[in-house]
Amino acid sequence: MSDNTSGTTAAIEEGAKKSGILWLTLDRPRLAWHAWHDGAIYLVSGGEEQQLPGLDALDRVRVTLRSKDNGARLVEFEAAVSPVDQAAAADVVAVLAKERLNARDSEHLPERWARDSQVWRLTPER
């Protein structure tokens, strides 16, 4: 791995951990909340959660992380998009549920997500 690649990887991880939001390039730039876990970005869409039109049709998406302090762009990168089997990834669902602010039914998030929403993994391409 080159120094530049490892620097970019570190910037992605640091930016994703420091801010709970990011921008996805879909039909237009879309703001999304997320959680960083195990080397990837995870997010939930559909049902009562954020609407991310077209994400389900992509195998890659452009992600922009911005500074929590001043909004300046920290890093932009391509990420591989893959659906997460929520039943097999209870650790991911737990991390996302912990990060989900202002949910009307926080104690029932995993059940509602399993029924109505999709969890996505965005793996930064190195």
Side-chain angles (χ1 to χ4, degrees), residues 12-14 16-19 22 34-43 84 88-99 119-124 126:
I12 291 169
E13 181 172 355
E14 182 177 344
K17 283 180 175 178
K18 282 188 174 179
S19 178
L22 51 71
H34 73 279
W36 176 266
H37 178 68
D38 197 24
I41 291 167
Y42 289 89
L43 46 87
V84 172
D91 59 330
V92 169
V93 172
V95 167
L96 280 165
K98 183 177 160 221
E99 295 298 320
V119 173
W120 298 97
R121 177 183 170 105
L122 305 182
T123 307
R126 305 186 197 286

Side-chain angles (χ1 to χ4, degrees), residues 29-98:
R30 297 273 182 169
L31 184 66
W33 70 271
H34 73 279
W36 176 266
H37 178 68
D38 197 24
I41 291 167
Y42 289 89
L43 46 87
V44 183
S45 68
E48 293 179 31
E49 299 302 329
Q50 57 201 349
Q51 300 302 308
L52 300 171
L55 184 62
D56 59 343
L58 299 176
D59 58 356
R60 295 171 66 215
V61 67
R62 188 124 193 102
V63 179
T64 303
L65 296 172
R66 295 189 173 277
S67 167
K68 192 174 184 175
D69 298 326
N70 63 17
R73 183 174 54 209
L74 293 175
V75 65
E76 228 176 284
F77 57 96
E78 293 286 320
V81 177
S82 56
V84 172
D85 176 351
Q86 296 177 58
D91 59 330
V92 169
V93 172
V95 167
L96 280 165
K98 183 177 160 221

